[in-house]
């Protein structure tokens, strides 16, 4: 069920619970600003979710409410993960859903990192 992506933040959303260690995940990376793990239902050979550690509902919330340090730290982490996985030469795709029309399902901001094969058109017909 798509969510609005707007506050208030639901502290019991599934990614908040993964961040607290209440639900297991296949961790790929962690630093002060970001946590990354494999998507449970991968849409590409490599499909990783990168989430900020702070409580932000969506890109809309993160881009307005997060500090410059949080935004910079998060974006650098996304790039670092792709670099660590050797994805810069073959290439990769980033995607962030925000709100109902995007189909956002989890109300904690996340970036999808897709890779591992040619990824086709950007948006399905
Ligand atoms: P959204 O549609 O909100 O942009 O993407 C949510 C993503 O979270 C989906 O790709 C979905 O497969 C993934 N997901 C949902 N629940 C879980 C879970 O419990 N663990 C993991 N690893 N991924 C999840």
């Amino acid at each position: 069920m798509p969510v609005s992506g707007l506050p208030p933040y639901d502290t019991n959303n599934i990614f908040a619970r993964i961040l607290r260690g209440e639900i297991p995940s296949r961790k790929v990376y962690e630093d002060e600003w970001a946590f990354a793990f494999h998507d449970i239902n991968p849409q590409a050979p490599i499909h990783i979710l990168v989430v900020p550690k702070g409580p932000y509902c969506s890109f809309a919330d993160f881009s307005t409410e997060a500090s410059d340090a949080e935004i910079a730290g998060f974006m650098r982490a996304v790039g670092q993960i792709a670099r660590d996985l050797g994805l810069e030469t073959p290439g990769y795709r980033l995607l962030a859903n925000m709100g109902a029309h995007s189909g956002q399902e989890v109300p904690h901001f996340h970036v999808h990192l897709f890779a591992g094969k040619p990824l086709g058109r950007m948006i399905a017909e």
Side-chain angles (χ1 to χ4, degrees):
M1 169 92 74
V3 296
S4 74
L6 297 173
Y9 180 79
D10 169 12
T11 56
N12 280 322
N13 78 76
I14 196 99
F15 293 170
R17 299 184 66 197
I18 284 174
L19 278 170
R20 290 197 295 267
E22 296 167 7
I23 292 176
S25 66
R26 290 171 55 217
K27 178 168 124 176
V28 173
Y29 177 92
E30 180 172 14
D31 67 15
E32 182 180 356
W33 309 109
F35 186 84
F37 50 100
H38 290 279
D39 196 290
I40 205 169
N41 182 24
Q43 305 296 309
I46 297 171
H47 183 174
I48 291 165
L49 299 168
V50 192
V51 307
K53 291 208 163 163
Y56 302 103
C57 302
S58 65
F59 177 75
D61 191 19
F62 185 69
S63 61
T64 52
E65 299 300 328
S67 68
D68 290 356
E70 286 175 292
I71 292 171
F74 178 78
M75 293 305 290
R76 288 195 191 283
V78 174
Q80 184 69 49
I81 292 161
R83 239 180 337 273
D84 290 350
L85 293 173
L87 298 177
E88 290 189 341
T89 299
Y92 57 91
R93 178 174 292 159
L94 303 178
L95 181 148
N97 290 317
M98 155 58 209
H101 276 190
S102 74
Q104 182 184 355
E105 289 185 350
V106 179
H108 181 111
F109 173 47
H110 50 283
V111 168
H112 297 256
L113 169 58
F114 300 106
K117 68 170 189 181
L119 294 165
R121 294 172 65 87
M122 270 199 292
I123 295 184
E125 296 299 323

